[in-house]
Amino acid sequence: MSGNAVLRHGPLVQPGKVTFNLWAPAAQTVALILGGRAFPMQPAPDGWFSRAVPEAGSGSRYQFEVDGRLRVPDPASHYQPEDVSGPSEVIDHEFGWRAAAWRGRPWSEAVIYELHLGSFSAEGTFRGAIAHLDHLVETGITAIELMPVADFAGARNWGYDGVLLFAPDSAYGRPEDLKALIDAAHERGLMVFLDVVYNHFGPEGNYLEQYAPHFFTEDGHTPWGKAIDYRRAPVRAFAIQNALHWLSAYRFDGLRLDAVHAIRMRGEPDILRALAEAVGTLAEAEGRHIHLILENDDNAADLLAPQRSGGAFRAQWNDDYHHAWHVLLTGETAGYYEDYPRPHAQLFRALAQGFVYQGEASLHRRGARRGQPSRGLPPAAFVNFLQNHDQIGNRPYGERLSAIASPRAVEAALAVTLLAPFVPLLFMGEEWGAPQPFPFFCDFTGVLADAVRNGRRREFAAMFRAARPGEEPPDALALDTFLMTKLDWAGGRAGEAGRRLTLVRTLLEIRRRHVVPLLQGCEPLQTAGEIDGHCLRCAWLLGVARLTLQANLSDMAGEDRHGRPQGAVIWGNASGDGLPPWHVAWWLEGA
């Protein structure tokens, strides 16, 4: 890699002109195609091409023509009105923010609600989601997390097949529509997080290989092909500028980085730390609360520091917590669930120490050791959940937990998850026990569509061999599969659903009043407790207060061998001589 010549990816709107840049180290010539004209771009050091065009402005549509033979969109396009292979559109990001004074909320207040824009509302759009924000506020949610919105091929997708990472997909609306959603959320006191993907590009509409093969490397491979090479300065800049783009132009309050364990070539300094440092600088300069979250199968505790503003990440999605609960509630042990043969004990460890796997050998990973010690982290370093898009959609039929576990058991799990001093996450509709499944869906065609179908079948055959003998899972490519995922807002919250919603709202109100005040500036995990078969007690020392959980996580009655905890009951009933099935009680002392 030569020099330090790294230009800005994407169009730069300036008074009287727009400057276009493209990193195309394998190209001999590049022309900007705009308004029926070709504007030759000037070569710059290290494979860059650049051109300032007075004739361009907001709304101009353009493409790049590489070596006179290939027309491609801008890889840093800010909007694609005609999908991934069409022309890019110049966007002027000026916007009349109504909540201009918004600076975010402290991480300790986070109660996260993950949603898919296409499935969340009947309209399946940015503006369609606005109508349901008041419901979330009334429920006790403080942050919504959008599954990826970066431009993908076709009319529908989970979002993890994005190829133009700076552009919100036109299936959901225009950039100003996304800003309207975020503004509306901020007006209601809701933070908005975005899922971003820096470990791969989707399989359709990514032209980088044809003019910037240096973006990838054979030195590392991922489940999606050659690794993105973050050892190269322009590639590092692409990811960092992308993160800052979403946080600045759209005023997102944070990002969740997808599957960072699959970022094989991180470069030096580590691209994750460099990105976090840049975001920390932005947050400090603008006086904002900005939160970065990881999905990381490696359980790398050294990346997490909830109270630092730069160079680290607030928290990690805690799959260990989910997996232990899932085995406990369903009895399923296929696939990665085979690593949780003692679910009660492993759940207790997750509650007491954060990660279950802190360097132990993983059977599912053929004996490879996984994780780092996590007890030195505060509880806010862990995002805990009973469901999310992956854990529902990785199943052949996309069933939610309510379809495969008893209501009483699920409600006990909710009482633990929503009142524990970790950051809780709900998946859309979980607050009322929505029955709608959430199987994987996409909109590819031809050979690629067949490859997706066959790949999903192989995956399911390995993990859920006897799910529903003789019944084919939903076709990921079918429109009906996508439509079955849409929440039923009109009639879906009556009866038992209404009772479940009341439960969740009650738990989150108790959390707001009693638990959240103890979490600001929380020290590393300090716990005491014991587990006796399926009965457990865990106490967290939170400053001068002690928060204690007493639970019997079983269909069988249990014994209370340790006596009444100190303090006042904030949820549940004080136990008598025994612990009824699925008994959960919370006690608070010293607050």
Side-chain angles (χ1 to χ4, degrees):
M1 184 175 68
S2 62
N4 294 306
V6 177
L7 300 181
R8 182 185 188 276
H9 291 277
L12 177 61
V13 179
Q14 300 164 295
K17 65 179 180 180
V18 178
T19 299
F20 300 88
N21 297 314
L22 180 68
W23 188 57
Q28 297 300 310
T29 64
V30 176
L32 175 73
I33 307 300
L34 185 148
R37 297 173 57 190
F39 297 85
M41 298 181 71
Q42 288 79 40
D46 292 335
W48 286 92
F49 292 81
S50 185
R51 177 74 185 246
V53 182
E55 293 88 342
S58 181
S60 295
R61 296 191 181 185
Y62 67 99
Q63 291 177 295
F64 296 121
E65 185 174 84
V66 178
D67 293 335
R69 59 173 179 80
L70 175 67
R71 289 194 179 185
V72 297
D74 188 340
S77 166
H78 290 193
Y79 186 56
Q80 291 292 118
E82 300 175 33
D83 211 359
V84 294
S85 295
S88 305
E89 181 178 324
V90 176
I91 298 296
D92 183 345
H93 283 284
E94 289 295 323
F95 186 77
W97 297 99
R98 292 175 297 183
W102 172 264
R103 293 296 179 267
R105 299 180 66 155
W107 180 241
S108 58
E109 297 178 2
V111 176
I112 305 173
Y113 188 92
E114 186 192 20
L115 65 90
H116 182 279
L117 259 308
S119 304
F120 181 62
S121 69
E123 300 87 348
T125 62
F126 296 128
R127 291 189 181 270
I130 294 174
H132 304 299
L133 296 181
D134 289 336
H135 159 82
L136 299 183
V137 173
E138 292 162 4
T139 300
I141 302 300
T142 64
I144 58 174
E145 179 181 320
L146 308 184
M147 289 174 65
V149 302
D151 204 76
F152 50 78
R156 57 192 178 274
N157 196 284
W158 262 22
Y160 300 91
D161 293 312
V163 291
L164 298 171
L165 305 191
F166 290 72
D169 197 276
S170 59
Y172 306 135
R174 291 184 55 83
E176 53 267 32
D177 298 324
L178 175 54
K179 292 177 184 179
L181 168 59
I182 295 169
D183 201 26
H186 290 169
E187 286 187 297
R188 292 162 171 81
L190 289 168
M191 297 181 283
V192 188
F193 303 151
L194 178 66
D195 225 349
V196 291
V197 181
Y198 297 135
N199 52 42
H200 76 289
F201 290 87
E204 182 178 337
N206 173 27
Y207 297 95
L208 285 167
E209 188 80 45
Q210 300 189 50
Y211 57 84
H214 306 74
F215 218 99
F216 308 94
T217 177
E218 292 281 6
D219 293 345
H221 282 78
T222 73
W224 308 279
K226 290 189 290 187
I228 298 173
D229 193 354
Y230 288 111
R231 297 172 299 183
R232 296 183 177 273
V235 181
R236 297 169 68 79
F238 188 90
I240 293 172
Q241 290 173 16
N242 179 261
L244 297 178
H245 168 76
W246 292 117
L247 296 169
S248 297
Y250 291 89
R251 302 186 75 219
F252 277 99
D253 299 284
L255 305 173
R256 180 258 194 191
L257 277 64
D258 179 68
V260 299
H261 54 272
I263 300 177
R264 306 292 191 211
M265 292 296 151
R266 293 186 184 174
E268 185 61 40
D270 188 319
I271 183 61
L272 296 178
R273 296 188 185 279
L275 186 151
E277 197 67 52
V279 170
T281 299
L282 173 68
E284 185 174 350
E286 298 188 354
R288 295 168 58 192
H289 294 285
I290 299 179
H291 310 298
L292 295 178
I293 309 161
L294 291 177
E295 179 191 26
N296 190 0
D297 192 60
D298 292 339
N299 280 2
D302 61 3
L303 287 170
L304 306 176
Q307 294 162 26
R308 278 176 55 188
S309 62
F313 293 80
R314 289 276 190 262
Q316 177 184 309
W317 274 24
N318 193 358
D319 282 346
D320 282 349
Y321 179 86
H322 167 272
H323 295 348
W325 263 118
H326 189 89
V327 174
L328 191 158
L329 293 171
T330 70
E332 293 179 350
T333 57
Y336 43 71
Y337 294 130
E338 67 183 336
D339 272 348
Y340 302 85
R342 297 174 295 108
H344 289 87
Q346 289 171 302
L347 175 62
F348 179 76
R349 190 177 202 210
L351 289 167
Q353 300 184 25
F355 295 141
V356 172
Y357 280 85
Q358 303 179 39
E360 291 80 6
S362 160
L363 175 63
H364 183 65
R365 295 159 185 82
R366 301 179 182 179
R369 295 192 176 275
R370 173 178 175 243
Q372 297 172 347
S374 60
R375 188 156 193 168
L377 293 170
F382 305 93
V383 176
N384 284 353
F385 46 86
L386 300 172
Q387 302 182 72
N388 64 31
H389 73 274
D390 270 331
Q391 307 309 332
I392 300 171
N394 284 347
R395 306 178 61 80
Y397 304 93
E399 311 102 314
R400 291 173 179 258
L401 189 60
S402 56
I404 54 176
S406 76
R408 191 175 183 186
V410 171
E411 289 174 0
L414 283 167
V416 174
T417 302
L418 298 183
L419 293 182
F422 307 92
V423 173
L425 177 145
L426 295 169
F427 186 68
M428 60 178 190
E430 185 178 356
E431 71 272 28
W432 73 78
Q436 285 79 23
F438 193 75
F440 177 75
F441 54 82
C442 58
D443 187 27
F444 300 131
T445 57
V447 174
L448 181 56
D450 292 337
V452 170
R453 284 192 185 96
N454 293 334
R456 300 293 289 181
R457 288 193 185 105
R458 285 194 300 272
E459 182 181 345
F460 293 149
M463 189 166 179
F464 297 100
R465 289 179 177 84
R468 298 182 188 177
E471 182 179 342
E472 280 292 311
D475 179 0
L477 285 301
L479 175 61
D480 285 348
T481 299
F482 163 64
L483 294 177
M484 72 171 62
T485 70
K486 282 185 171 284
L487 293 181
D488 178 9
W489 288 95
R493 290 176 288 167
E496 284 301 305
R499 192 180 68 81
R500 174 69 58 81
L501 179 59
T502 298
L503 169 68
V504 170
R505 287 179 170 177
T506 301
L507 289 168
L508 289 179
E509 175 60 18
I510 293 171
R511 179 184 182 85
R512 185 190 67 80
R513 285 191 284 116
H514 294 294
V515 180
V516 169
L518 308 177
L519 301 182
Q520 195 107 25
C522 190
E523 298 298 320
L525 277 162
Q526 299 179 60
T527 57
E530 48 275 320
I531 181 166
D532 182 8
H534 45 78
C535 297
L536 62 86
R537 178 180 296 193
C538 190
W540 293 265
L541 303 179
L542 305 171
V544 298
R546 177 190 292 261
L547 180 68
T548 302
L549 164 67
Q550 180 189 56
N552 172 19
L553 305 178
S554 168
D555 289 324
M556 301 178 291
E559 293 184 53
D560 180 8
R561 300 182 181 180
H562 306 290
R564 176 189 175 106
Q566 297 296 310
V569 177
I570 61 171
W571 172 258
N573 299 309
S575 59
D577 296 331
L579 300 178
W582 301 109
H583 167 84
V584 174
W586 285 94
W587 308 70
L588 183 59
E589 176 191 11

